[in-house]
Amino acid sequence: ILRDGLSYLAACPTEVSPLLVLEFLHRVADIFVDYFGSPADESAIKDNFSTVYQLLEEMVDYGWPLTTEPNGLKGLIKPPTVMGKIHQAVTGGSSAVVSDELPSGTVSNMPWRAAGVKHSQNEIYIDIVEEIDAIINANGNVVSSDVSGSIQAQSVLSGVPDLVLQFADPELIDDCSFHPCVRYGRYEMDRVVSFVPPDGNFELMKYRVRNAAARMF
């Protein structure tokens, strides 16, 4: 994949699912943006090479993805700070701060959320981003169309919030992919998105809209 001018490659000695590899590479790029800011380009990687090395060591175990949730990684490896970079410049050591203890979420059934999260204001922001691709002939008729969307969220909630998101017409939603925090069995049964959100920014789900051409025009 190509992100911020960098090419992310994965060498696979055996045959594996291509989607697994692509999703993992996107997770790696997203983690770099979360740690180092945007854009996570060549200079950001060079300036924080020791942190990059520690992150990859925690994200991959014997060639298999292990810890890819930002909250879990931040409990293990602290994001770089100005003081850390000053310490690295003075001592010549590493600026990566590695925790001696496992984060609480690592050994729970919710590795995406740390325990004891507290905020002064409890709120969650949700953005629905949709893209429409359509071909229209000279007579104004729709030849083909496709609507794809994603739900981006920013959670600032204390404790362990249990949330439910309902759609006005869930039958229109098709070809969904969810964040691990979503209870997929509940969605299959009741067509509602039930989840305990991670703290901070995350993508809740991706989807496509059924019969887009008939409903758009």
Side-chain angles (χ1 to χ4, degrees), residues 49-65:
F49 179 76
S50 57
T51 304
V52 170
Y53 185 85
Q54 293 290 344
L55 286 171
L56 293 177
E57 198 171 54
E58 295 295 338
M59 294 181 73
V60 184
D61 184 43
Y62 288 97
W64 290 98

Side-chain angles (χ1 to χ4, degrees), residues 116-138:
V117 177
K118 293 182 179 180
H119 295 285
S120 58
Q121 294 181 339
N122 287 293
E123 50 196 7
I124 184 170
Y125 301 95
I126 291 180
D127 290 326
I128 299 178
V129 182
E130 292 188 337
E131 295 181 358
I132 301 175
D133 295 319
I135 299 176
I136 303 175
N137 60 23

